[in-house]
Coordinates of all heavy atoms in Angstrom, one line a residue:
R1 N 7.7 3.2 19.1 CA 7.3 2.5 20.3 C 5.9 2.9 20.7 O 5.1 2.2 21.4 CB 8.2 2.8 21.5 CG 9.6 2.3 21.4 CD 10.4 2.5 22.7 NE 11.7 2.0 22.6 CZ 12.3 1.3 23.5 NH1 11.6 1.0 24.6 NH2 13.6 0.9 23.4
N2 N 5.4 4.1 20.3 CA 4.1 4.5 20.6 C 3.0 3.8 19.9 O 3.0 3.7 18.7 CB 4.0 6.0 20.3 CG 2.7 6.6 20.9 OD1 1.6 6.6 20.2 ND2 2.7 7.3 22.0
V3 N 2.0 3.2 20.7 CA 1.0 2.4 20.1 C 0.1 3.1 19.2 O -0.3 2.7 18.1 CB 0.2 1.7 21.2 CG1 -0.9 0.9 20.6 CG2 1.1 0.8 22.0
R4 N -0.3 4.3 19.5 CA -1.2 5.2 18.8 C -0.5 5.6 17.4 O -1.2 5.5 16.4 CB -1.6 6.5 19.5 CG -2.6 7.3 18.8 CD -3.0 8.5 19.6 NE -3.6 8.0 20.9 CZ -4.0 8.9 21.9 NH1 -3.8 10.2 21.7 NH2 -4.6 8.4 23.0
Q5 N 0.8 6.0 17.5 CA 1.5 6.2 16.2 C 1.7 5.0 15.4 O 1.6 5.1 14.1 CB 2.8 6.9 16.5 CG 2.7 8.2 17.2 CD 4.0 8.8 17.7 OE1 5.1 8.2 17.5 NE2 4.1 10.0 18.2
L6 N 1.8 3.8 16.0 CA 2.0 2.6 15.3 C 0.7 2.3 14.5 O 0.8 1.9 13.3 CB 2.3 1.5 16.2 CG 2.6 0.1 15.7 CD1 3.8 0.1 14.7 CD2 2.7 -1.0 16.7
K7 N -0.5 2.5 15.0 CA -1.7 2.3 14.3 C -1.8 3.2 13.1 O -2.3 2.7 12.1 CB -2.8 2.5 15.3 CG -3.0 1.4 16.4 CD -4.2 1.7 17.2 CE -4.3 0.6 18.3 NZ -5.5 0.8 19.2
A8 N -1.4 4.5 13.3 CA -1.4 5.4 12.2 C -0.5 5.0 11.1 O -0.8 5.0 9.8 CB -1.1 6.8 12.7
V9 N 0.7 4.5 11.4 CA 1.6 4.0 10.4 C 1.1 2.8 9.7 O 1.3 2.6 8.6 CB 3.0 3.7 11.1 CG1 3.9 3.0 10.2 CG2 3.6 4.9 11.6
G10 N 0.4 1.9 10.5 CA -0.2 0.8 9.9 C -1.2 1.1 8.8 O -1.3 0.4 7.7
R11 N -2.0 2.1 9.1 CA -3.0 2.6 8.1 C -2.4 3.1 6.9 O -2.8 2.9 5.8 CB -4.0 3.6 8.7 CG -4.9 3.0 9.8 CD -6.0 4.0 10.2 NE -5.4 5.1 10.9 CZ -5.3 5.3 12.1 NH1 -5.7 4.3 13.0 NH2 -4.8 6.4 12.7
E12 N -1.3 3.9 7.1 CA -0.6 4.5 6.0 C 0.1 3.6 5.1 O 0.1 3.6 3.9 CB 0.4 5.6 6.5 CG -0.3 6.8 7.1 CD 0.7 7.7 7.9 OE1 1.8 7.3 7.8 OE2 0.3 8.7 8.4
T13 N 0.6 2.5 5.8 CA 1.3 1.4 5.0 C 0.3 0.7 4.2 O 0.6 0.3 3.1 CB 2.0 0.4 6.0 OG1 2.9 1.1 6.8 CG2 2.7 -0.7 5.3
A14 N -0.9 0.4 4.8 CA -2.0 -0.3 4.0 C -2.3 0.5 2.7 O -2.6 0.0 1.7 CB -3.1 -0.7 4.9
Q15 N -2.5 1.8 3.0 CA -2.9 2.7 1.8 C -1.8 2.6 0.7 O -2.1 2.5 -0.5 CB -3.1 4.0 2.2 CG -4.3 4.3 3.2 CD -4.4 5.7 3.7 OE1 -3.5 6.5 3.5 NE2 -5.4 5.9 4.5
L16 N -0.5 2.7 1.1 CA 0.6 2.6 0.1 C 0.6 1.3 -0.6 O 0.8 1.2 -1.8 CB 1.9 2.9 0.8 CG 2.2 4.3 1.2 CD1 3.4 4.4 2.1 CD2 2.3 5.2 0.0
Q17 N 0.3 0.2 0.2 CA 0.3 -1.1 -0.5 C -0.9 -1.1 -1.6 O -0.6 -1.7 -2.6 CB 0.0 -2.1 0.5 CG 1.2 -2.4 1.4 CD 0.9 -3.5 2.5 OE1 -0.2 -3.7 2.9 NE2 2.0 -4.1 3.0
N18 N -2.0 -0.6 -1.2 CA -3.1 -0.6 -2.2 C -2.8 0.2 -3.4 O -3.1 -0.2 -4.6 CB -4.4 0.0 -1.6 CG -5.0 -0.9 -0.5 OD1 -4.8 -2.1 -0.5 ND2 -5.7 -0.4 0.5
Q19 N -2.1 1.4 -3.2 CA -1.7 2.2 -4.4 C -0.7 1.5 -5.3 O -0.8 1.5 -6.6 CB -1.2 3.5 -3.9 CG -2.2 4.4 -3.2 CD -1.6 5.7 -2.6 OE1 -0.6 6.2 -3.2 NE2 -2.2 6.2 -1.6
M20 N 0.3 0.9 -4.7 CA 1.3 0.1 -5.4 C 0.7 -1.0 -6.2 O 1.0 -1.2 -7.4 CB 2.5 -0.3 -4.5 CG 3.3 0.8 -3.9 SD 4.7 0.1 -3.0 CE 4.0 -0.8 -1.7
W21 N -0.1 -1.8 -5.6 CA -0.7 -2.9 -6.2 C -1.7 -2.4 -7.3 O -1.7 -3.1 -8.4 CB -1.5 -3.8 -5.2 CG -2.1 -5.0 -5.8 CD1 -3.4 -5.2 -6.2 CD2 -1.4 -6.1 -6.3 NE1 -3.6 -6.4 -6.7 CE2 -2.4 -7.0 -6.8 CE3 -0.1 -6.6 -6.2 CZ2 -2.1 -8.3 -7.3 CZ3 0.2 -7.8 -6.8 CH2 -0.7 -8.7 -7.3
T22 N -2.4 -1.4 -7.1 CA -3.3 -1.0 -8.1 C -2.6 -0.5 -9.4 O -3.0 -0.8 -10.5 CB -4.2 0.2 -7.6 OG1 -5.0 -0.2 -6.5 CG2 -5.1 0.8 -8.7
T23 N -1.5 0.2 -9.2 CA -0.7 0.7 -10.3 C -0.1 -0.4 -11.1 O -0.2 -0.5 -12.3 CB 0.5 1.7 -9.8 OG1 -0.1 2.7 -9.0 CG2 1.3 2.2 -10.9
V24 N 0.5 -1.4 -10.4 CA 1.1 -2.5 -11.1 C 0.1 -3.4 -11.9 O 0.2 -3.9 -12.9 CB 1.9 -3.4 -10.0 CG1 2.4 -4.6 -10.7 CG2 3.1 -2.6 -9.6
Q25 N -1.1 -3.6 -11.1 CA -2.1 -4.4 -11.7 C -2.7 -3.7 -12.9 O -3.0 -4.5 -13.9 CB -3.2 -4.6 -10.7 CG -4.4 -5.6 -11.1 CD -5.5 -5.7 -10.1 OE1 -5.7 -4.7 -9.4 NE2 -6.0 -6.9 -10.0
A26 N -2.9 -2.4 -12.9 CA -3.4 -1.8 -14.1 C -2.4 -1.8 -15.3 O -2.8 -2.0 -16.4 CB -3.7 -0.3 -13.7
N27 N -1.2 -1.7 -15.0 CA -0.2 -1.8 -16.1 C -0.1 -3.2 -16.6 O 0.0 -3.4 -17.9 CB 1.2 -1.4 -15.5 CG 2.3 -1.3 -16.7 OD1 2.7 -2.3 -17.1 ND2 2.6 -0.1 -17.0
A28 N -0.2 -4.3 -15.8 CA -0.2 -5.6 -16.2 C -1.4 -5.9 -17.0 O -1.4 -6.8 -18.0 CB -0.1 -6.6 -15.0
S29 N -2.6 -5.4 -16.6 CA -3.8 -5.6 -17.4 C -3.8 -5.0 -18.8 O -4.3 -5.6 -19.8 CB -5.0 -5.1 -16.6 OG -5.1 -5.7 -15.3
A30 N -3.2 -3.8 -18.9 CA -3.0 -3.1 -20.2 C -2.0 -3.8 -21.0 O -2.1 -3.8 -22.2 CB -2.7 -1.7 -20.0
K31 N -0.9 -4.3 -20.4 CA 0.2 -4.9 -21.2 C 0.5 -6.3 -20.6 O 1.4 -6.5 -19.8 CB 1.4 -4.1 -21.2 CG 1.2 -2.7 -21.7 CD 2.5 -1.9 -21.5 CE 2.2 -0.5 -22.0 NZ 3.5 0.4 -21.8
P32 N -0.4 -7.3 -20.8 CA -0.1 -8.7 -20.3 C 1.1 -9.4 -20.9 O 0.8 -10.3 -21.7 CB -1.5 -9.4 -20.5 CG -2.0 -8.7 -21.7 CD -1.5 -7.3 -21.7
T33 N 2.3 -9.1 -20.4 CA 3.5 -9.7 -21.0 C 4.2 -10.4 -19.9 O 4.0 -10.1 -18.7 CB 4.4 -8.6 -21.7 OG1 4.8 -7.7 -20.6 CG2 3.6 -7.9 -22.7
P34 N 5.2 -11.2 -20.1 CA 6.0 -11.9 -19.1 C 6.7 -10.8 -18.3 O 7.0 -11.1 -17.1 CB 7.0 -12.8 -19.9 CG 6.2 -13.1 -21.2 CD 5.5 -11.9 -21.4

């Protein structure tokens, strides 16, 4: 419920999204398979 903590969680969520996408994208670029 706390707005300040919510902003911190939003930043951490965005960082995790970037890490997950970077990892998957790197693997797909190295092995472009179905």
